[in-house]
Amino acid sequence: MIKLENITKIYSNNNEQKALDDVSLQINDGEFVAIMGESGSGKSTLINIIGMMDKETAGTYLLDDVNISELNLSQREKKRRENISFIFQQFALVKRYTIYENVELPLIAKGVPSKKRKVKIMEALKALGIEDIANKYAMNTSGGQQQRAAIARAIVSDSKYILADEPTGALDSNNGEEVMKLLEDLNKSGKTVIMVTHNENLAKKAGRIINISDGKLRF
Amino acid sequence: MKFKDKLLMAIDNIWRRKLIFLINTILGIVAITLLAMVVHMYNRTTYTNKEINRITVLSEDEIYFLSLKTFNFKENENLINRVLDFYEEIKNIETVNWFGTYAIDDFFLDNKIEGLEEIYKKYSSVSDSMFSMYQLLPIPIAVYEDKGINRISMNIEELDITGVKTDSDISELNITDEYIEVLVGSELKEYFEKGKIYSYHQSDEKVSIKVVGYLQEDSIFYKENVLGGAPVYICLDGYMVFPEKYNYELDVYGSAITNNAMIYSHDSDIKNKIEILSHKYNINVDLNSLEGIMKDTLKENVMYQNIKLLVIFIFILTVIAYSASGIVGILTRKNEVGIFYSCGLSTQNIISTIAIENIIQLIIVYVISALFIYTKFLESNASTLSALGIEKDIFIRYDSIILLAVVFSILMVVTIFPAIILRMMPIGSMVNDN
Ligand SMILES: Nc1ncnc2c1ncn2[C@@H]1O[C@H](COP(=O)(O)OP(=O)(O)OP(=O)(O)O)[C@@H](O)[C@H]1O
Ligand SMILES: [Mg+2]
């Protein structure tokens, strides 16, 4: 369970502007939440704080009843490694790595032995139908394939929470819908999915929509 | 994350960015080698520069070094006789106060030509067999009352008048009944009268010296160290300049002097006279005054100064380029670092992976430059050393070892720069950077 209490984020290098302003929010396990809002409204900031890529300026963040706000950097990194998977708009693959190697990263981070890694990776690639491009370099694959690889990467790490920042933003509608389908499947398999999107049709498929503007939640 | 995975990742990163790696490696090697040059030159010049004003005319009269340039005794059978006659005539010039052969070079060592012995016997102040030849070097010897200390030493302290006396040094001398002609330092002037013969005992042997002249106050003996280290540089006030037996095993420093005789004279026309004689005997010679040699050395030092500055400048640029390229390496990979981070690698993991990358690079750079510097140093000395019959690997240069240690530390610091930079950046938001 994710619980944000009065979270504020200020970027000191950006006119002391509040990217998030007193945000309180609870997301239960197994939910599929869509976050919507204008550009610059603070969606990515929110999802980055939930994913512990960034630290809030004020407020309390509880993840599964653990007070994340009180943890130090390496403790937070450990929490993230164990609980969070990211999917980004621009796919976020290391371009000079193969698809296989990209999917391998979270497993390396977790210290999984290489034989076990191989089994898991091939399983995930097969599930997404991209096993035949496993050894292609990421930069030589299409956007749809890359986003599937990014989802495969989220699958292999078997994290409880999947955070997707505009996962379909750079894809055509066919591919976008397919990715949406995959996220729904993940949600059905028990993962909590939090997705930022501009697409209202896709957002409607989520169990809940959270609107954000100027760093504040609107209901 | 396991260390093995970090290492593999680091090696993998190096491999995939091999061009950048290659450029960095070359930069690193250039930086180290340049620094080596600077240190090398620093050793060479500081000593003289520091006391540059103290170099004065060595003696009230002048000392000349005479080099034989006609060497081919084998093909030139009567050359030995010609040299003998030539030397004899020089010695008989009225204005020559002191004449002696003193130098040996590898030509003589390799070809023990009959007859050369004669030359040495006749004109060396101390005689011995051909096998161990002499060199009349103006190496100081301290003499007081009836004790003599005879050393070839790089250590000025040891040469002090109240200094040391070791049997091994003394046993090298095989002193005859003849007196040895010496120049006396200004501080000792009051004890030794010009033209008089003094005796002292060295081991069981009686040694006689004849004072042929005095050194001016603040006379400095300067001899370039052919191996590139600090030059021999001694204030001679407390010393006597003594013809010294040359010892191959112990002294590797004096070898490169190619002069073959030393003339001590106050005759301003001596150069001409010797030139005429050399024509007469058809012997090709070079005559240089000690003062002239010293002046040349000083001139050379000024040139080295300028080169040194230039090299330091280039070195600094290279080090900057080296560290900058490490930092650029990070900045151009910001997006990648962000992806690693989002995949669960910790800051620690990322920094240590990059550090491993850089350290691998550093080790490669270091090993290559160390080999390079070593062979360079050793090679430049190899001819000198082999001329002396010295095995080249027995010679370890401390300054190059220290240099390599210093360089390693500097580059180590430069190497962790990128990791420090990374530590200061907001990694979490880098996934969006490109
Ligand atoms: N690293 C940063 N440094 C400074 N300011 C930032 C940083 N990241 C975001 N901001 C600012 O915080 C505010 C919210 O940004 P955020 O990226 O969360 O918006 P967003 O809703 O994701 O927008 P978009 O739909 O364009 O992705 C913006 O005004 C942005 O300029
Ligand atoms: Mg955004």
Side-chain angles (χ1 to χ4, degrees):
Chain A
M1 188 181 69
I2 290 165
K3 199 169 179 191
L4 304 182
E5 292 168 354
N6 312 104
I7 293 285
T8 297
K9 173 71 185 179
I10 297 169
Y11 287 108
S12 50
N13 60 342
N14 196 5
N15 296 330
E16 303 290 324
Q17 182 203 342
K18 284 181 181 171
L20 288 179
D21 189 1
D22 201 22
V23 170
S24 295
L25 172 68
Q26 181 172 330
I27 298 170
N28 295 318
D29 289 353
E31 266 199 89
F32 191 145
V33 176
I35 299 173
M36 294 195 72
E38 309 254 290
S39 182
S41 56
K43 307 182 293 295
S44 297
T45 306
L46 178 63
I47 215 164
N48 281 343
I49 285 175
I50 291 173
M52 290 170 274
M53 290 286 274
D54 216 339
K55 196 175 178 359
E56 67 280 356
T57 314
T60 309
Y61 172 21
L62 297 168
L63 180 72
D64 295 333
D65 299 327
V66 176
N67 189 343
I68 301 299
S69 308
E70 280 177 352
L71 301 183
N72 66 24
L73 179 67
S74 75
Q75 287 168 327
R76 268 188 292 136
E77 284 172 346
K78 184 162 178 282
K79 270 274 168 236
R80 177 160 49 82
R81 180 159 62 237
E82 287 165 353
N83 293 293
I84 310 280
S85 283
F86 276 99
I87 299 166
F88 295 99
Q89 174 181 14
Q90 65 285 43
F91 323 131
L93 298 188
V94 180
K95 294 190 181 55
R96 58 193 177 78
Y97 279 15
T98 61
I99 296 293
Y100 182 96
E101 287 163 337
N102 270 289
V103 177
E104 195 177 18
L105 282 171
L107 299 177
I108 290 176
K110 283 184 171 164
V112 177
S114 65
K115 272 190 193 133
K116 270 193 187 168
R117 294 204 292 247
K118 187 161 188 187
V119 176
K120 284 193 172 189
I121 295 162
M122 289 322 286
E123 231 171 59
L125 292 178
K126 258 186 209 137
L128 291 161
I130 47 171
E131 74 269 27
D132 49 325
I133 55 161
N135 293 320
K136 264 196 169 180
Y137 286 102
M139 58 187 164
N140 298 332
T141 57
S142 74
Q145 287 170 327
Q146 288 187 36
Q147 199 56 302
R148 250 169 284 186
I151 293 170
R153 192 168 63 188
I155 292 173
V156 287
S157 56
D158 201 22
S159 317
K160 198 169 156 190
Y161 301 95
I162 294 185
L163 309 184
D165 193 348
E166 293 185 54
T168 61
L171 299 174
D172 60 40
S173 57
N174 274 352
N175 272 314
E177 254 157 55
E178 234 171 278
V179 164
M180 188 60 199
K181 180 96 198 5
L182 289 167
L183 290 176
E184 283 175 305
D185 289 348
L186 279 173
N187 178 240
K188 273 177 202 146
S189 74
K191 313 266 181 218
T192 306
V193 178
I194 303 168
M195 176 183 73
V196 170
T197 184
H198 284 294
N199 187 323
E200 232 163 300
N201 291 332
L202 294 182
K204 276 176 192 158
K205 293 184 180 172
R208 171 152 68 119
I209 297 174
I210 294 170
N211 280 297
I212 183 167
S213 84
D214 289 335
K216 289 193 167 79
L217 299 191
R218 305 270 180 246
F219 297 98
Chain B
M1 193 176 173
K2 291 180 186 145
F3 178 75
K4 192 186 124 203
D5 285 324
K6 284 183 199 166
L7 191 65
L8 287 176
M9 227 162 135
I11 292 169
D12 183 68
N13 278 338
I14 289 173
W15 178 245
R16 287 173 209 246
R17 302 166 72 247
K18 23 186 187 307
L19 187 68
I20 294 172
F21 181 80
L22 193 72
I23 292 169
N24 278 8
T25 306
I26 291 169
L27 278 178
I29 291 170
V30 169
I32 295 187
T33 312
L34 284 176
L35 189 64
M37 281 172 68
V38 172
V39 171
H40 197 64
M41 284 180 190
Y42 184 76
N43 269 349
R44 219 190 116 90
T45 50
T46 39
Y47 214 168
T48 30
N49 291 336
K50 215 161 53 188
E51 305 201 29
I52 209 158
N53 305 323
R54 296 193 59 200
I55 295 184
T56 58
V57 182
L58 187 69
S59 80
E60 283 170 357
D61 303 317
E62 177 60 297
I63 290 175
Y64 293 92
F65 290 112
L66 182 76
S67 337
L68 272 190
K69 286 162 89 186
T70 312
F71 276 126
N72 206 339
F73 287 89
K74 246 179 196 162
E75 285 165 23
N76 230 330
E77 268 180 30
N78 63 0
L79 179 60
I80 289 165
N81 290 328
R82 292 212 314 271
V83 171
L84 279 171
D85 292 344
F86 174 53
Y87 282 180
E88 194 60 35
E89 276 215 43
I90 296 174
K91 205 182 174 184
N92 289 337
I93 296 174
E94 240 171 66
T95 51
V96 170
N97 296 342
W98 182 25
F99 175 80
T101 54
Y102 78 99
I104 299 155
D105 67 10
D106 53 342
F107 173 81
F108 295 106
L109 284 175
D110 291 345
N111 312 281
K112 289 183 183 113
I113 315 264
E114 277 173 46
L116 272 185
E117 199 178 339
E118 238 178 291
I119 297 176
Y120 281 94
K121 265 196 179 146
K122 204 155 181 183
Y123 296 101
S124 295
S125 299
V126 192
S127 77
D128 201 343
S129 69
M130 185 61 195
F131 185 68
S132 56
M133 284 189 243
Y134 306 116
Q135 188 171 27
L136 276 170
L137 269 179
I139 287 279
I141 178 172
V143 178
Y144 58 103
E145 289 183 301
D146 59 353
K147 278 184 197 148
I149 299 143
N150 182 347
R151 276 183 92 80
I152 295 175
S153 173
M154 294 295 290
N155 188 337
I156 294 167
E157 308 308 320
E158 283 180 14
L159 288 161
D160 200 278
I161 189 160
T162 54
V164 289
K165 177 183 196 287
T166 67
D167 285 343
S168 65
D169 294 331
I170 288 158
S171 64
E172 296 289 337
L173 265 181
N174 184 4
I175 289 153
T176 64
D177 283 342
E178 296 166 35
Y179 56 76
I180 302 168
E181 292 174 331
V182 297
L183 294 170
V184 173
S186 70
E187 279 175 18
L188 305 175
K189 225 170 173 172
E190 51 182 307
Y191 305 110
F192 297 95
E193 209 175 300
K194 190 169 175 174
K196 273 204 171 174
I197 296 173
Y198 297 82
S199 293
Y200 63 94
H201 283 87
Q202 191 163 322
S203 296
D204 292 333
E205 283 171 299
K206 190 177 153 203
V207 182
S208 299
I209 53 169
K210 183 183 180 185
V211 178
V212 293
Y214 300 115
L215 302 176
Q216 269 186 16
E217 207 180 328
D218 283 346
S219 285
I220 300 290
F221 176 68
Y222 172 92
K223 184 152 64 79
E224 196 177 320
N225 183 345
V226 291
L227 295 173
V232 187
Y233 186 65
I234 304 164
C235 173
L236 294 174
D237 287 356
Y239 301 109
M240 285 188 178
V241 175
F242 223 76
E244 171 64 294
K245 180 180 173 180
Y246 189 74
N247 185 326
Y248 297 109
E249 271 92 30
L250 295 180
D251 184 6
V252 295
Y253 295 98
S255 63
I257 296 170
T258 52
N259 304 287
N260 298 96
M262 192 164 80
I263 297 162
Y264 171 56
S265 168
H266 51 74
D267 185 353
S268 58
D269 201 33
I270 190 77
K271 249 186 137 153
N272 261 339
K273 287 177 182 163
I274 284 170
E275 219 159 88
I276 292 165
L277 279 179
S278 74
H279 284 309
K280 179 175 162 193
Y281 289 100
N282 191 20
I283 294 166
N284 195 359
V285 294
D286 230 5
L287 189 71
N288 291 300
S289 72
L290 185 58
E291 206 187 347
I293 291 171
M294 284 180 171
K295 272 184 186 153
D296 283 351
T297 313
L298 289 181
K299 243 187 251 163
E300 213 176 88
N301 283 347
V302 171
M303 189 185 77
Y304 270 115
Q305 276 281 309
N306 295 336
I307 296 177
K308 208 168 84 183
L309 283 178
L310 187 72
V311 163
I312 288 173
F313 179 69
I314 297 171
F315 172 72
I316 291 170
L317 283 188
T318 320
V319 168
I320 290 171
Y322 183 73
S323 52
S325 91
I327 291 164
V328 167
I330 288 291
L331 297 181
T332 55
R333 284 195 282 168
K334 265 167 106 175
N335 168 255
E336 217 172 285
V337 168
I339 294 170
F340 288 154
Y341 197 62
S342 76
C343 285
L345 274 76
S346 64
T347 317
Q348 200 56 45
N349 290 157
I350 294 167
I351 288 175
S352 56
T353 303
I354 284 164
I356 289 170
E357 245 175 75
N358 290 334
I359 286 168
I360 290 173
Q361 165 134 49
L362 177 62
I363 289 170
I364 292 173
V365 164
Y366 185 71
V367 167
I368 293 176
S369 351
L371 286 174
F372 189 62
I373 291 167
Y374 252 96
T375 48
K376 190 102 187 52
F377 276 145
L378 285 180
E379 235 155 58
S380 65
N381 300 324
S383 57
T384 314
L385 294 175
S386 74
L388 293 162
I390 289 171
E391 291 292 323
K392 120 176 165 173
D393 51 30
I394 63 158
F395 201 77
I396 298 164
R397 285 187 55 105
Y398 287 105
D399 54 356
S400 42
I401 291 172
I402 292 166
L403 162 77
L404 292 175
V406 167
V407 165
F408 191 72
S409 320
I410 290 178
L411 288 190
M412 198 69 196
V413 171
V414 168
T415 297
I416 59 172
F417 266 8
I420 294 169
I421 297 268
L422 185 62
R423 192 71 189 79
M424 298 185 315
M425 293 195 300
I427 299 181
S429 62
M430 288 196 320
V431 69
N432 297 316
D433 292 332
N434 272 305

